Amino acid sequence: SEPVGSVSLSGGTFDTIRGVGTYSTTEGPVLPFLAFEGFGTNDSRQNSQVRRFNAFNKVSFPLEGGAVLSIRAQVFDNTFNAPGYASRDLLRAGLRSERTAENYTDGGRRQIQNVVANYLAGAPDDELSATLHASHTSSQRFSDFGSGQRGQDEDRNTVGGRIRKIWTTSLAGMPTQVLLGANWRSDVIDITQGPAVQRTFTAYTARLGVTEHNLAGFGQVQIKPTDWLKLTGGARFDQFFFDVSNALDPSKSPKAEPHATSPKAGIAITPVRWMEIYANYGQGFRSPNAADELLANPALNPVKLESREVGAQLRFERFSFLTAAYTTDIANEVFQPAPGLPVQNLGKSRREGMEFEAKWHAIREDGLR
């Protein structure tokens, strides 16, 4: 929350206009933050109109002992047209204007309504947090990538929650921090895909009803055997339940219950006060897509991802420098050329990279230059 509200209006070329209004206060037993936005533009290419409305409302309730309960509600509506990818050959030959749309009926709409409740209690070293959420999303997209317009219509209802607790204590004389948590999410989805003309389906390649559940538990332990060494270990287990109802071919209505275990580990060494050397290892995953992958392969398991990182950080009174190198391996890279088109399996992939960061603090925390 903020101590003031505000109203703003701005505009620009291509019929661009945006209005924003907020209301907020930092005093009283209830602390609201309300924000409303309207936006519209036509852009430079034909068939590029965008119209958006967004209402974000959050109310916080300070409780005894420093705990806070907050409730957030949002309504979002975005209607858009899409000019499509311009043909380079036609532009170079002078046969088409650079402002011309490829298909004057491409575009779509996305609507979101969600409610989230958050509870937070305790100091950061002994924190208890919990979240409950529910949302409804409706999205339609029609796009022509050169072989005719295709459409995708999806309606999704989601509910879920998360709880997490942190304990900071001492184990055998060593500073120790333990984190435990659990996560739940359920989705009910209706999916329609197929060729279209002027945003009207002419046939169907998919008409699916999908129910998905995800239950997960996770934990992490951090231990400092000495002042110069910190060890971290953790793991997460995810269990999925998929139930797909295929209206076009009921015989191909798979059910699946894949799972994934994701461990992680880390070490940080501080040989001197101004230097830290660290290394991290972690695994992740990407769950199967029910509409694009499970229909063809009901036995498909989550795709594994494995990352390694090493780095060092130097921290002085005014200057800090960080460098890190990482490698990420994915068991099966996937690619979807456009919404509604089949997913392509590209096989194993690797990403490698390095990062550098330098900071100079012109003013210290105590305000001295």
Side-chain angles (χ1 to χ4, degrees), residues 38-316:
F39 172 80
T41 187
N42 287 335
D43 208 352
S44 60
R45 292 188 66 191
Q46 297 169 348
N47 199 50
S48 296
Q49 295 87 354
V50 175
R51 301 290 183 268
R52 181 178 72 233
F53 171 77
N54 192 13
F56 177 90
N57 304 287
K58 180 180 178 181
V59 181
S60 300
F61 303 89
L63 306 176
E64 293 184 4
V68 176
L69 172 66
S70 65
I71 298 176
R72 186 180 77 228
Q74 183 182 21
V75 176
F76 175 87
D77 192 326
N78 182 38
T79 302
F80 61 93
N81 294 340
Y85 292 111
S87 170
R88 180 182 59 186
D89 294 336
L90 293 177
L91 291 177
R92 286 178 173 177
L95 299 177
R96 181 168 294 181
S97 167
E98 61 185 15
R99 299 186 64 241
T100 301
E102 299 304 302
N103 188 318
Y104 284 89
T105 64
D106 277 4
R109 186 177 186 182
R110 184 174 180 84
Q111 297 174 293
I112 301 173
Q113 305 92 38
N114 64 58
V115 178
V116 181
N118 289 298
Y119 175 80
L120 183 64
D125 288 346
D126 194 35
E127 182 181 277
L128 171 65
S129 63
T131 299
L132 285 174
H133 61 86
S135 66
H136 170 254
T137 302
S138 174
S139 62
Q140 301 85 36
R141 182 182 178 185
F142 294 90
S143 51
D144 189 340
F145 292 93
S147 58
Q149 190 178 78
R150 299 183 65 86
Q152 178 165 308
D153 190 330
E154 179 178 303
D155 188 88
R156 178 187 295 259
N157 291 287
T158 302
V159 294
R162 185 172 187 251
I163 186 169
R164 191 183 77 162
K165 173 61 179 173
I166 297 176
W167 295 270
T168 300
T169 182
S170 178
L171 180 63
M174 297 181 293
T176 303
Q177 188 174 87
V178 178
L179 181 154
L180 292 176
N183 188 79
W184 152 63
R185 172 172 168 165
S186 295
D187 294 77
V188 178
I189 316 164
D190 291 318
I191 301 170
T192 301
Q193 298 174 353
V197 174
Q198 297 183 5
R199 302 193 188 186
T200 300
F201 287 102
T202 58
Y204 298 105
T205 57
R207 298 192 71 179
L208 306 173
V210 180
T211 301
E212 303 176 354
H213 302 287
N214 173 212
L215 300 176
F218 53 90
Q220 176 180 279
V221 178
Q222 297 186 80
I223 301 177
K224 292 193 70 174
T226 69
D227 291 339
W228 53 269
L229 176 64
K230 182 177 75 172
L231 303 174
T232 301
R236 176 184 172 111
F237 178 81
D238 285 84
Q239 177 67 59
F240 293 91
F241 301 90
F242 294 97
D243 189 347
V244 182
S245 176
N246 187 350
L248 298 182
D249 188 351
S251 65
K252 295 182 178 179
S253 297
K255 295 184 178 181
E257 298 182 4
H259 63 269
T261 302
S262 308
K264 72 174 185 177
I267 181 172
I269 301 173
T270 310
V272 291
R273 181 183 60 84
W274 47 268
M275 175 186 289
E276 181 183 65
I277 303 169
Y278 62 90
N280 294 305
Y281 170 84
Q283 290 186 11
F285 65 90
R286 185 185 68 82
S287 63
N289 184 295
D292 297 319
E293 296 175 297
L294 280 183
L295 283 179
N297 184 5
L300 186 65
N301 287 314
V303 175
K304 284 287 187 177
L305 179 150
E306 191 174 32
S307 290
R308 306 167 190 82
E309 177 190 36
V310 294
Q313 183 171 214
L314 308 179
R315 289 175 295 196
F316 302 99

Side-chain angles (χ1 to χ4, degrees), residues 14-25:
F14 304 111
D15 301 324
T16 300
I17 186 170
R18 180 174 185 258
V20 179
T22 69
Y23 172 77
S24 181
T25 180

